[in-house]
Amino acid sequence: MSEPMVKAEGVHKRFGRLEVLKGISLEVKRGEVMCMLGPSGSGKSTFLRCINHLEKINAGRLSVDGELVGYREEGGKLHELHERDVARKRAEIGMVFQHFNLFPHMTAIENVTLAPVRVAKVPRGDARDRAADLLQRVGLGDKLDTYPVALSGGQQQRVAIARALAMQPKLMLFDEPTSALDPELVGDVLDAMRQLARDGMTMIVVTHELGFAREVADTAVFMDGGVVVEAGQPGEVLVSPRHERTKAFLSKVL
Amino acid sequence: MTTSELSEEQRGRPEDIEAVPVRHPGRWVASVVVVLVAASIVRSIVTNSRFHWGTVGHYLFDARILHGVVVTLELTFLSMIIGIVLGVIAAVMRLSPNPLISGASWVYVWFFRGTPLLVQLLFWNFIAALYPTIDLGIPFGPSLIHLDSNSLIKPFVAALLGLGLNEGAYMSEIVRAGMISVDEGQTEAAQSLGLGRLQILRRIVLPQAMRVIIPPTGNETISMLKNTSLVIVLGAVFDLLFEAQTIYAANFQTIQLLIVASAWYLAMTSVLYVGQYFIERRFGRGFSRQQRVTMRARWLGSRGSPSVDAG
């Protein structure tokens, strides 16, 4: 049996005195798509940010591909990883943000080639070919030299997906990728993600899109108040939840 | 055919509105006043024989004045380069998580913003009185390089040190404001791609900060151009004002030479205005919807659609 891609055991995260994650334990297997749902402030985005060490966890253990996030274990003690090593590990994990966070001073293709050229040291020409191919796949083959400001929200988010994929990540994190989009633009972004799931990418998706979660997710996780309330097959968790809290949330979202 | 088209055709296009415009008597009065005042100023400048316009014209392109212009430009640009480099370093230090490093930057800005530029210039000029020799080496250890202050810090160098170090303090605040103005999401996105701290600074934060940094830097350059005239207190830097002074000390045509100097300062600041316009446009890339297609794309003829289309 192969090791899970992400393994969390009792992960805690505090901001000052506010405890945002109160012991999260879960596993994401290779090639699995996990959708995380829950009210805002439930800690789902924070958990996602912990996975690529944008946030430091305060207690528990969190590992990606069998290696601890942000630390190295030696002689029964945890050592903080050097900035360089943290960056190297982040490069293997793609992340897509709610507000896209495209680099506004670069064209679509420059956004996509930046990390391959500067981090992975791929020759510029190769990086450009691959970026053009990626943008083609998300339906933006005619927008290579366009600046983000001239793209719609849906197009920007697809560039952001291509940008993350350009580093050939082994895991993709999506932080409410469609929450900032007009309803009619959501479909194209979800299509791009659906395609990615079909290609076998391991994905963790924080979303409010129940339809997408039911259709694409292998596991659905419902979080509230910093804990996992319920986790399991999307057919069970999202259709016939056992917990009152989940039922109440789903009735409001629908 | 839609109903609106039908009704439009039936009714025919309505005539353009031709309304009686609102009268603005106040504006007319103000305009007349402005014209009268301007005319009387011009008249007095032209008719007042004490201006000696002939003398002004005579010295406008005098070799000594032109040399002064060159020195003023040298001082301006070299000091601004020193100021910008120091400003970026001080701003990055100020934003460092290490309190000692950010504290050092704070003290630098505090000192050089808190004392008059004129005093700083004099200090640099007389630095040899404090430190007759300058030894570079290991702190508290042996000296590797031994220099004589008087021969190293000539008045021109003192001027550059004074103007540049002072400017660096102001520039660091400008650069810091620019860096803070860049959304945190930009840094996070860059981190998630695996970029290092210096790469993020150089490729992501500073280029975007430039948009905020450039307008006040243009202002600073214009200020600098005029502040260079303070170096006359050093008595040995032949900038534009000092050259004008030496000429009028001999011929007593004081006002005429001050007009000559002012004309040159005005001409130089005007050129800076134009330069600033182009630099601002360059760093506005990706922020205005006007310039949505790159120049390269435009030359290759792959036209981007002019409107924001839904995707």
Side-chain angles (χ1 to χ4, degrees), chain A:
Chain A
M1 203 184 91
S2 77
E3 205 156 8
M5 183 59 84
V6 178
K7 188 172 183 184
E9 296 163 279
V11 168
H12 283 254
K13 172 68 193 173
R14 281 190 309 270
F15 290 112
R17 290 170 66 187
L18 182 71
E19 192 154 45
V20 182
L21 299 179
K22 300 171 186 166
I24 304 288
S25 299
L26 51 78
E27 273 184 24
V28 184
K29 290 195 262 312
R30 272 161 217 283
E32 184 182 337
V33 177
M34 174 182 280
C35 280
M36 303 186 85
L37 300 100
S40 53
S42 58
K44 16 183 231 312
S45 288
T46 304
F47 178 68
L48 210 61
R49 293 162 59 83
C50 288
I51 295 175
N52 67 357
H53 210 49
L54 284 178
E55 305 287 355
K56 248 184 209 178
I57 64 173
N58 297 107
R61 290 172 77 86
L62 182 57
S63 55
V64 172
D65 206 7
E67 287 181 45
L68 285 180
V69 174
Y71 301 95
R72 142 180 80 82
E73 200 164 26
E74 218 174 74
K77 258 189 150 172
L78 288 185
H79 298 260
E80 260 185 41
L81 281 186
H82 192 278
E83 225 172 278
R84 231 188 358 253
D85 302 317
V86 173
R88 212 185 47 226
K89 287 195 173 181
R90 279 188 186 130
E92 300 173 341
I93 303 172
M95 183 153 189
V96 174
F97 299 85
Q98 182 177 357
H99 296 289
F100 332 134
N101 298 351
L102 288 185
F103 306 129
H105 57 303
M106 298 180 186
T107 60
I109 196 155
E110 286 169 353
N111 264 278
V112 180
T113 51
L114 176 75
V117 172
R118 299 290 164 197
V119 180
K121 312 290 181 198
V122 174
R124 195 174 287 274
D126 298 356
R128 230 187 124 77
D129 292 346
R130 196 172 142 63
D133 183 49
L134 280 167
L135 285 168
Q136 190 83 47
R137 264 167 45 194
V138 295
L140 295 170
D142 57 338
K143 301 286 184 190
L144 302 188
D145 293 307
T146 309
Y147 282 101
V149 71
L151 296 172
S152 73
Q155 292 170 334
Q156 288 193 44
Q157 194 61 298
R158 284 181 282 151
V159 174
I161 292 172
R163 177 175 71 176
L165 290 176
M167 288 300 282
Q168 299 176 299
K170 53 189 176 189
L171 167 68
M172 283 285 284
L173 309 173
F174 292 86
D175 189 3
E176 300 200 30
T178 57
S179 297
L181 297 178
D182 288 343
E184 77 235 45
L185 306 184
V186 168
D188 291 325
V189 172
L190 293 183
D191 281 343
M193 292 167 63
R194 223 171 256 133
Q195 183 59 48
L196 202 52
R198 268 200 295 273
D199 293 345
M201 177 64 77
T202 312
M203 295 159 65
I204 304 181
V205 186
V206 170
T207 185
H208 295 298
E209 295 289 333
L210 291 186
F212 174 82
R214 262 201 299 265
E215 179 199 332
V216 179
D218 300 302
T219 317
V221 172
F222 177 74
M223 277 182 72
D224 189 26
V227 294
V228 172
V229 176
E230 196 163 344
Q233 303 250 319
E236 291 161 16
V237 177
L238 303 177
V239 180
S240 49
R242 278 168 295 153
H243 289 262
E244 282 310 313
R245 189 66 195 88
T246 319
K247 277 179 201 160
F249 175 78
L250 290 176
S251 70
K252 269 183 219 151
V253 172
L254 282 173

Side-chain angles (χ1 to χ4, degrees), chain B residues 34-53:
Chain B
V34 167
V35 169
L36 282 178
V37 170
S40 60
I41 291 173
V42 170
R43 181 174 155 273
S44 93
I45 290 174
V46 173
T47 58
N48 186 344
S49 61
R50 274 172 289 193
F51 268 105
H52 291 297
W53 287 108

Side-chain angles (χ1 to χ4, degrees), chain B residues 225 261-272:
Chain B
L225 188 86
S262 302
W264 275 108
Y265 282 119
L266 207 50
M268 289 188 280
T269 49
S270 305
V271 171
L272 290 179

